[in-house]
Amino acid sequence: MPRSGFVALIPVAPGRLEELERVLLSWGNDVLLEDEGGLKPDAFVDFRDQQFIHFMRFALLKVDNEQRLLITADFDLEIHDFLEFLRRKTTCPDAIWGLCVGWRKEIDFSLWFLNFVVVPEATYIAFPGVTLQRVNQAVALFKFRDEVLSGRFSPRRQGITEAARILVRVDCLFRAAFFIRNAAKSAYRTIGLLFSRKLDLSRQEMRLLWEGGRRVASSLNRVWWIRAFNILSRNPAPVAVPIWSSARPPFHRLTSFAGYPAEDSVFQNQLTLLTSFPAAEEARLRGVLRSIDLYARGLAFPGSLLGIATIHTVRWTILPDCHGVPGRIWLLMTSNYDGSWDSYISEFCARIFSGLDAIWGCAEGAPPAGARDIPAFKEFLRTRQIPAAVFYSAYKGGSVSFTRMALTLRPVNRLIAGLVG
Amino acid sequence: MKDLLSAEDTNDIQSWIYSGYPHLPKSTYAFLRIDDQIRARQFLKGIPWQISSATKSRNRQAQSHQVLNVAFTAMGLLALGIDDETVEKFPIEFQEGMNAPHRGAFLGDISPGGKPDHTVRDYAASAVHLLFACHFISASVRDSWISKFQRDSSAGGLSLVGLELGELADSGKEHFGFKDGISNPEIHGFKGAGSATGEFILGYPNEQGCMPVSPLLSPESDPHDLLPPAMCDNRNMRDLGRNGTYLVFRKLAQDVSAFWNFIADDCRRRLGRAEPADLVWLASKLVGRWPNGVSLVEAPHFDAYSEIMQERLKAGSLNDFTYGQTDTSGHRCPFAAHVARMNPRDRIQGLSESEALGTTARHRLLRRGRRYGPELFDLKILDTPESWNRLQQLFQSRPEAQDTTRSDRGLFFIAFCANIREQFEFVQRAWGNNPHFNSAKGSQDPLIGTNSSITPGRSGIPIPDRDGGITTGLVPQAVSFRGGGYFFLPSIAAFRWICHGK
C-alpha cells in the first residue's frame, strides 16, 4: 500500500461557520488530555477502527474574509480509496459536508472533494513508504525485545534471554546495514529526481531553486556535505551581528496556545500556520520551497529533516485562489511533530535559522532580525497559528526517533522474537 | 560580542550576579509592599550606596559582613509611580508574574483546569513590590539588621509582607542530603570564558547574538542622565535594563520523609529488602549525582575512596563532565534523572553532542539558592558507606511520625536569567515537566516535576541498564511549590533612576 496524504481547503457555506465549528469541536482532540476533551471514540471517523491513518486534522481558517475548512490527512491508501472510506464512515454527511459550499447528496463525494485538494509546494515525511502497520509491528517487536531482555518474559528460559543479550550486542551491525541501505536509496532517489520530468525547469526557475537552496544551506555548516557545498559555492553563513530583539509591547501571551493547556503533555503535537506574503515574493518563495521539497524527496534520511528528528510530516502549501486582497499570497504550513512547541520552535530557530528566514524572512509581520530573534519569532508564529478543531495521531507512544530506532532494529528484534517462538 | 565587562559596568552590576556569597552563610529575604509612594521613594533613595556591586565582590578585601541586594516586581515599579508605558516595555512574563493563573498552569504549579495543586499561600502576587535580599556572616549580624530594617522600612512607607531566612549549610547539601548548586554557568563578561554575558545580564548579546528584551527609554525620560545608552543600533535610547537581570524566586518545601520513604518502599517492592546501599543507589539514580556531588557518569559505583571520587572532591571539579562519550544510553546517569533534565549537557535525543551543548547553553540558569529549616537527619551520613546504616534505621519502617519536629524545611530556588521564558520557564516546562523529554517514558522530573494528578498516564522513573533496567513506582510529590515571583534586579544606576522617577 502506498503512503500518501493531502491538504484540502473546502469553502464553508456562508453563515454556517459556527455550526461547523460546533460539530468539529464535539469530536475532541488529541492535543488535549482525556479529561479536557481528548479525541472521542464516537467521532465521525472512528479512528480506533482503522490501521492506516497516521495523522488527520480538521481546522477552520479565515483567508481574506473567506472561511475554509482545512483537512489534512496522512494514510496508507490511494487517495480515492481513502475518500471512499471517508464517505462510508460519515454517518451523517449533511452535518459536516452539508455546511460546505457545493455539497449535495446526489453528487459523487470523491469528485466533489478532489476539487478542493491542493498540491503542497514542499512535503517532508519522516518515513516515506513505511506503513502504519509496519511501524506498529516494529514498535511492538521493540517492546517485546525489552520484555525478553529483562528476563520477565520467560524466567525459566534463561537461555533465550542470554541469546537475546548476545544479539543485542551486535545492534551496531544492523544500524550500519540500515544506514547503508538508506544511503543507497537516497542516492538512487536523488538521481531519479534529477533526471525525472518533474525537474523540467526554466532558466528562471533553476536560478530561484539554486538561490533558495543556497539560502537554506547557509546556516547548515554542521552537516559535512552541506559545509562542503557552502565552501565550494562560496555561500558563507550569515554574520551574527548583535541585534536588539524586536519583540516589542504589546507582548502577546505566549505561554500556551489558546485551548491547549496540556500542549506539552501529549506525545504528538500539530502546528497549522497561516502566513501572508507580498505577491512579489511568490516566485522566490516557490524556489525555496522546491529546494526543500527536492531535498526531502531525495537526500533526506528516514526520520531526519536536516538533522531535526522531531518532525513526522510537514507540508508547505501556497494557497491558490485567494484574491481577497490583491498583491498578497498565503502560505499554509501544516506539521505533525513530537513533544513541546517551545522546544520544537527553539530547535528550528537555533539550527536552521537561515532556512526559516529563507521561507518567512519577507512574510508580513516577520521580525526584522529573522529567526535568530527567538522571542520575536515565537511571537510571530504564535499569532499566526491556527488551532486544530480535530487532531488525530496514531503514534500514541512513538516519537520519530523511537520509531526510527524500532525500524532500524526490526530485523534483530524479529530474530529475538523468533528465538522465543 | 564576547568582551569582558568594563570597570564601569562591573561597578554598576549588583554583586549577587557575580557571586553567591559562599562566605556569608546566613541570608534573609524580605518581601515588602509599598504603602506610601513618596516616603518609599525617599527611603529607597538612601539605598543605592548600600547595595554591593560586582566590583566590590570581586575585590575580596572589601568583602563586608553583610551584603544587600534589591529587586522589584512589576507591581512594585507601578507602585513607585513608574508609568504604565515603561512597565509595559518589560517582557510579558515579568509583567504578569509567576502567580498569574495561566502562568501557574504553564509552569505546573496549578493544574490546567485551575485546581490548585499546591498551596500558594505564602505571598499573594500582587502584594509583593520589593525584595530586599541580604546575606550575612552570622546569625547575630542578621538579627540586628532585621530589627533595624523593620524599623526603617515601616518609617519609609513600606510594610513587610514576608520574611524568609535562608542558610548555606557547611556541607552545601539540600535537605534530601545531596550536594546542591554545583552546576552553575560562568559568565563570559566576568571570567573571559563561559556563557555569553547576555544570557544572564541585560544589555549584552546572548548566545544567539541577540539582545535580550530590555526596556529602552527616550533620553527625555532620563533628565538626570542616570541611565547608560543602549548598545548596537539603538544608541540614541537609554537602556533601563542594562547591567540588570531578572530574578526568579521560588519557595520549594521539601518533604524529606516522603522522599526517603518512597526510596525505601520502592527498594522493598522490587528487591524484597532495603539495604542501605540500595537506598543510596536509587536516590542517587533519581538525582543523577551521588550525595557528595560526584556525577554518576564519572563514578558509576559508589566508592568513597576511589581515585576519581577523591580527585573530584579535592579539586572541587564536580561539574567537569559530559554524558556523550561515556553514557549515551543512560546506563550510568538515567535520562530522567533530575540533573540530566535540568542540564542535559551534550545528551539530548535527536541532537548531536555539539548541537545539544549549543541548545543547553541557551537554557541555563545562574542559581543562587539557599535552603531553609532544620535538617531532619545528619546529612553527612550519606557521604560515607559506614554510616549508611543510620539511614536504614531512620527509614526502614514507615512510621508517619518520623518527622516528629514537623518543621517546615526546603529551599529557596533563586535564579538569574536574561529571558525568563526561554530560560527558567523553558527548563521547568519543556525539560522538567515534559513527560516525553529524552526517553522520559511518561515520567516527570523526580524532584521538581509536578508529580501530581496533572498528567494522566504518567509513570515512574525509568532507570535503564544493560539488561533493560527498571522503572520505579510513582514518585510522590516530595517537593512542593509554596510561592514565589519574578523580580527585576536592576543595575545600581537603574535603581537610582527608579527612585528618582522621571
Side-chain angles (χ1 to χ4, degrees), chain B residues 243-389:
Chain B
N243 295 330
T245 189
Y246 299 106
L247 184 160
V248 177
F249 190 99
R250 278 165 87 77
K251 184 179 181 182
L252 302 171
Q254 288 175 280
D255 188 342
V256 181
S257 308
F259 178 77
W260 281 104
N261 277 327
F262 161 75
I263 300 285
D265 281 354
D266 206 68
C267 284
R268 222 171 285 130
R269 181 178 63 84
R270 279 181 305 102
L271 307 167
R273 63 192 158 87
E275 293 296 323
D278 296 330
L279 299 187
V280 175
W281 176 84
L282 182 59
S284 304
K285 282 283 187 186
L286 297 192
V287 174
R289 289 179 184 272
W290 295 107
N292 60 13
V294 177
S295 168
L296 296 182
V297 175
E298 297 200 294
H301 306 289
F302 191 90
D303 178 358
Y305 309 105
S306 70
E307 207 173 302
I308 180 81
M309 252 191 206
Q310 289 298 319
E311 191 189 312
R312 287 294 179 231
L313 289 171
K314 228 177 256 168
S317 54
L318 294 169
N319 205 30
D320 298 344
F321 70 92
T322 49
Y323 298 106
Q325 296 300 326
T326 31
D327 196 23
T328 35
S329 43
H331 292 172
R332 291 182 173 197
C333 177
F335 290 102
H338 174 66
V339 299
R341 272 179 178 273
M342 295 294 108
N343 181 9
R345 296 168 195 254
D346 60 342
R347 192 177 67 178
I348 298 179
Q349 236 169 35
L351 302 190
S352 74
E353 284 161 25
S354 60
E355 287 161 4
L357 280 175
T359 299
T360 308
R362 293 194 312 278
H363 305 290
R364 295 303 312 276
L365 292 163
L366 193 62
R367 291 177 307 143
R368 296 286 181 249
R370 293 273 164 128
R371 67 175 208 195
Y372 68 91
E375 290 180 356
L376 180 61
F377 62 97
D378 180 10
L379 303 176
K380 285 186 185 141
I381 63 168
L382 290 168
D383 288 348
T384 44
E386 293 78 29
S387 49
W388 284 354
N389 283 332

Side-chain angles (χ1 to χ4, degrees), chain A residues 33-36 146 149-152 165 169 222 240-245 247-249 251-256 260-267 307-309 339-343 346-347 349-351 353 369 371-375 378 382 399 401 404, chain B residues 1 88-92 95-96 102-103 105-106 112-113 115 203 205 208-214 216 230-234 239 349-352 355 359 362-363 419 421-422 425-426 429-431 433-436 441 444 454-456 466-469:
Chain A
L33 301 174
E34 262 165 47
D35 56 342
E36 296 158 354
D146 270 358
L149 287 178
S150 69
R152 283 192 295 267
R165 281 179 189 163
R169 299 274 148 82
R222 60 196 164 77
V241 185
I243 33 151
W244 279 91
S245 170
R248 288 271 178 274
F251 295 101
H252 292 278
R253 283 183 179 174
L254 287 167
T255 43
S256 61
Y260 301 159
E263 201 179 27
D264 290 347
S265 304
V266 288
F267 246 121
I308 294 181
S340 103
W341 185 89
D342 255 332
S343 316
S346 287
E347 265 335 289
C349 290
R351 301 173 69 209
F353 60 87
R372 203 151 56 89
D373 182 0
I374 296 180
K378 280 189 172 174
R382 265 295 198 225
S399 60
S401 50
R404 182 170 57 182
Chain B
M1 178 175 154
E88 277 167 12
K89 287 180 177 168
F90 282 93
I92 185 79
Q95 289 178 47
E96 291 182 342
H102 65 277
R103 208 157 273 285
F106 181 72
K115 294 164 268 178
Q208 290 280 102
C210 216
M211 310 288 280
V213 176
S214 173
L216 301 185
M231 277 172 74
C232 313
D233 47 344
N234 271 319
D239 189 351
Q349 236 169 35
L351 302 190
S352 74
E355 287 161 4
T359 299
R362 293 194 312 278
H363 305 290
N419 188 335
R421 167 139 175 84
E422 285 295 318
E425 292 190 339
F426 184 97
R429 181 168 154 104
W431 288 353
N433 278 335
N434 183 351
H436 312 302
K441 294 188 177 163
Q444 293 186 325
I454 292 182
T455 322
R466 291 180 78 165
D467 300 330

Side-chain angles (χ1 to χ4, degrees), chain B residues 26 36 94 114 199 204 235 254 280 311-312 334 365 477:
Chain B
K26 302 290 174 190
D36 181 335
F94 170 71
E199 289 290 318
Y204 302 91
R235 285 185 193 278
Q254 288 175 280
V280 175
E311 191 189 312
R312 287 294 179 231
L365 292 163
Q477 185 82 52

